[in-house]
Amino acid sequence: MKVEPVEGHLVLFLENKNMAGHTAGDPLECYSIPLVLNKDPEQDELGNPIMGADGKPKYRCGFRIGGGIDQDNSKSPQGYPDKGIYVTYIHDEGPAARCGLTVHDKILQVNGHDMTVVTHRKAVEYIQRKPVLNMLVYRKGVPNLQTKQQQPQFQAYNQQSDYPMQYQ
């Protein structure tokens, strides 16, 4: 898996050309949308930060997920075509809504972790781990990659035929 800029977009290269119905572990190639989600600290009713069992502050990300390689996607009420990790709920005005995440986005990567081949529990752990999530998501309707012959940016000039004047 690699991420490279292509025509002004970050593209996650995993080699297969069809994103919908992707089989976990199979390579794929699609446009991906980079999102940075800054979580909100969880607070009690007095505005004090809530600490986790490990003594670190707890954070809210403002979304829920469904899916995973251990889940049966054919029983998904959303009808997702594969065992990927999908966003199933966005809390209004939460961190996920503010960063542009939408319901039905397929999460491809979180902080460098490949989310196309994880269990549901492992996906939750990766999402909960850090206060900032650097994510790559696939969104239905984003155009597929087009393979086309690109025109060269610069043309080579033949000095004798392209320049009417010759210097002596």
Side-chain angles (χ1 to χ4, degrees):
M1 172 172 48
K2 64 182 175 177
V3 178
E4 293 181 2
V6 173
E7 297 178 10
H9 299 278
L10 285 180
V11 178
L12 177 68
F13 286 98
L14 300 168
E15 292 170 23
N16 182 352
K17 304 228 188 269
N18 183 8
M19 183 66 206
H22 169 251
T23 302
D26 282 355
L28 61 99
E29 182 179 292
C30 66
Y31 277 120
S32 57
I33 302 168
L35 298 174
V36 178
L37 187 151
N38 293 291
K39 296 179 185 177
D40 291 338
E42 284 193 43
Q43 299 176 341
D44 63 19
E45 57 278 346
L46 300 174
N48 299 316
I50 297 176
M51 301 298 185
D54 58 0
K56 295 180 181 178
K58 291 179 79 175
Y59 293 91
R60 291 194 167 275
C61 56
F63 71 98
R64 294 185 190 139
I65 61 169
I69 60 173
D70 58 336
Q71 306 294 311
D72 184 355
N73 62 295
S74 67
K75 295 180 180 176
S76 164
Q78 292 85 7
Y80 295 130
D82 57 44
K83 293 178 177 276
I85 301 297
Y86 288 89
V87 177
T88 58
Y89 171 82
I90 300 284
H91 185 271
D92 292 338
E93 300 177 21
R98 288 193 304 267
C99 84
L101 197 64
T102 63
V103 172
H104 307 304
D105 280 352
K106 182 175 183 175
I107 302 175
L108 303 174
Q109 202 177 77
V110 172
N111 294 338
H113 295 283
D114 182 357
M115 301 292 275
T116 64
V117 290
V118 295
T119 63
H120 184 85
R121 177 160 305 285
K122 188 57 85 174
V124 169
E125 288 173 12
Y126 287 145
I127 290 167
Q128 290 178 339
R129 192 173 288 172
K130 303 281 183 180
V132 176
L133 301 179
N134 293 294
M135 300 188 295
L136 290 175
V137 300
Y138 166 79
R139 184 169 295 154
K140 188 173 182 174
V142 173
N144 290 333
L145 288 177
Q146 301 294 319
T147 54
K148 61 181 180 178
Q149 295 293 332
Q150 291 194 352
Q151 297 294 329
Q153 286 184 314
F154 303 100
Q155 288 184 314
Y157 289 97
N158 179 330
Q159 288 183 342
Q160 292 178 353
S161 63
D162 293 333
Y163 293 103
M165 250 199 237
Q166 289 194 4
Y167 296 102
Q168 300 193 13

